């Protein structure tokens, strides 16, 4: 009976360790919590851009990886690029913004 408890404890410890390591992040892959945080940041940035009447939100793509927001797509002017970048920087949790937008 005592030996069975040892095996069960060891099995439980192994499963716990594997699941914790499986959720950890690496330099090229996010952990579960980071993925959720980035999804929230992406949504907030998209909402901020959508609520700005001078920007065409359908033409601006927003992606977030480890709190770094990447903006891409097409806008009508340099002022629109600046405005979208400033809106993204203003969102809580954004560490930096990469601007890959182009003027059409």
């Amino acid at each position: 009976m005592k030996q069975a408890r040892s095996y069960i404890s060891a099995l439980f410890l192994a499963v716990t360790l594997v699941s914790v390591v499986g959720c950890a992040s690496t330099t090229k892959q996010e952990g579960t919590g980071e993925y959720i945080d980035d999804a929230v940041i992406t949504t907030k940035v998209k909402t901020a851009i959508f609520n700005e009447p001078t920007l065409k939100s359908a033409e601006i793509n927003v992606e977030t990886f480890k709190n770094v927001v990447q903006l891409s797509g097409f806008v009508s002017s340099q002022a629109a690029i600046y405005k979208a970048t400033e809106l993204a920087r203003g969102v809580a949790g954004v560490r930096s913004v990469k601007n890959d937008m182009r003027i059409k």
Side-chain angles (χ1 to χ4, degrees), residues 1 9-10 31 49-50 57 66 71 82-83 86 90 96 102:
M1 183 67 159
S9 295
I49 290 171
F50 179 77
S57 61
K66 294 191 175 193
L71 301 174
Y82 178 76
K83 185 66 175 177
E86 288 305 307
S96 66
R102 305 283 182 247

Side-chain angles (χ1 to χ4, degrees), residues 18-29:
V18 167
S19 60
V20 168
V21 171
C23 294
S25 67
T26 64
T27 57
K28 296 183 181 185
Q29 181 179 345

Side-chain angles (χ1 to χ4, degrees), residues 13-49:
L13 180 61
V15 168
T16 303
L17 183 61
V18 167
S19 60
V20 168
V21 171
C23 294
S25 67
T26 64
T27 57
K28 296 183 181 185
Q29 181 179 345
E30 295 176 304
T32 305
E34 289 174 324
Y35 178 81
I36 292 170
D37 291 345
D38 285 347
V40 169
I41 289 172
T42 298
T43 301
K44 288 181 179 180
V45 171
K46 285 182 179 182
T47 301
I49 290 171

